[in-house]
Amino acid sequence: VSTQSTGAMYLAGLLPIDRMREPRGPATLLCSRIGRLRLETRYMVSIAVPKEGENPDREPNGEELLEAYAVSRGYLTGGRGLPDISRAARYVLKDYVNGALLHCEPPPGVEWRADDVAGGPMQAPTERPRLARDHEGSVRVTFKETTLEEFQSFQEQVKALTAGRKGVGRKGQALLKKAKKLSRK
């Protein structure tokens, strides 16, 4: 991180996001790094356009992003019903820190060219993805049936990945024991 501002330190994961008191600064820095189109595409939100007299090509500020995200997810403050930008900031900034929002910078002294971006210019999706729902409107969960041979193949792959390793953990060991029991039946 070239500048050690507080916002940059939050985005670098150096400061805990859950203890952040003022989310607008880090969110504005995130907007300048990611850009309007990628943010709107990732979160399926419509960020407010610049007002008349402002530069129409400017990136959104942090407050515009956080308000749009909070409203789209229904995050409202208890008392007055305003968008809860603090809660929205925790989700968006954690996405960035955890790698769900990708941002790359060239090494010092190297400049990006427009054609350096993988896949060319981004295009926003035309419609929101739809989940399978039942007649009551609830999301329908489907399970894939697995044959014994497929399960045993999976079990062998897990053994190969964990063989001879310490630190598989209790959950991993429990899964291996279950797999062994099922394969003996």
Side-chain angles (χ1 to χ4, degrees), residues 122-183:
M122 284 194 56
Q123 295 179 356
T126 55
E127 63 181 52
R128 197 176 186 134
R130 305 208 185 279
L131 298 172
R133 299 191 181 273
D134 62 12
H135 64 281
E136 296 173 357
S138 303
V139 175
R140 206 173 47 212
V141 179
T142 57
F143 295 96
K144 178 185 171 196
E145 289 189 29
T146 305
T147 64
L148 181 60
E149 291 80 25
E150 289 174 330
F151 181 76
Q152 287 174 338
S153 170
F154 172 75
Q155 176 188 356
E156 292 301 319
Q157 292 172 3
V158 170
K159 279 185 186 176
L161 291 173
T162 59
R165 291 189 184 180
K166 292 183 179 178
V168 172
R170 290 182 191 162
K171 290 182 180 179
Q173 290 173 353
L175 287 173
L176 287 174
K177 285 181 184 178
K178 281 184 181 180
K180 283 180 186 178
K181 286 180 185 177
L182 288 173
S183 66

Side-chain angles (χ1 to χ4, degrees), residues 66-104:
L66 298 177
E67 283 181 4
Y69 184 85
V71 168
S72 72
R73 303 300 191 274
Y75 301 155
L76 303 174
T77 58
R80 297 172 37 192
L82 299 173
D84 188 354
I85 63 170
S86 182
R87 183 176 178 191
R90 286 195 303 272
Y91 284 100
V92 173
L93 296 178
K94 283 181 181 180
D95 277 353
Y96 181 86
V97 170
N98 294 329
L101 285 172
L102 296 179
H103 171 72
C104 300

Side-chain angles (χ1 to χ4, degrees), residues 4-43:
Q4 291 300 319
S5 71
T6 306
M9 291 171 63
Y10 280 114
L11 293 181
L14 299 174
L15 296 175
I17 292 171
D18 289 328
R19 294 186 185 168
M20 180 176 43
R21 293 178 187 220
E22 179 50 51
R24 289 175 186 87
T28 299
L29 180 58
L30 180 136
C31 289
S32 69
R33 290 182 179 179
I34 302 296
R36 176 183 301 274
L37 180 61
R38 287 178 55 204
L39 290 168
E40 287 181 338
T41 303
R42 167 77 171 117
Y43 294 115

Side-chain angles (χ1 to χ4, degrees), residues 58-71:
R58 75 164 174 82
E59 296 300 336
N61 63 37
E63 191 160 4
E64 292 169 342
L65 166 67
L66 298 177
E67 283 181 4
Y69 184 85
V71 168

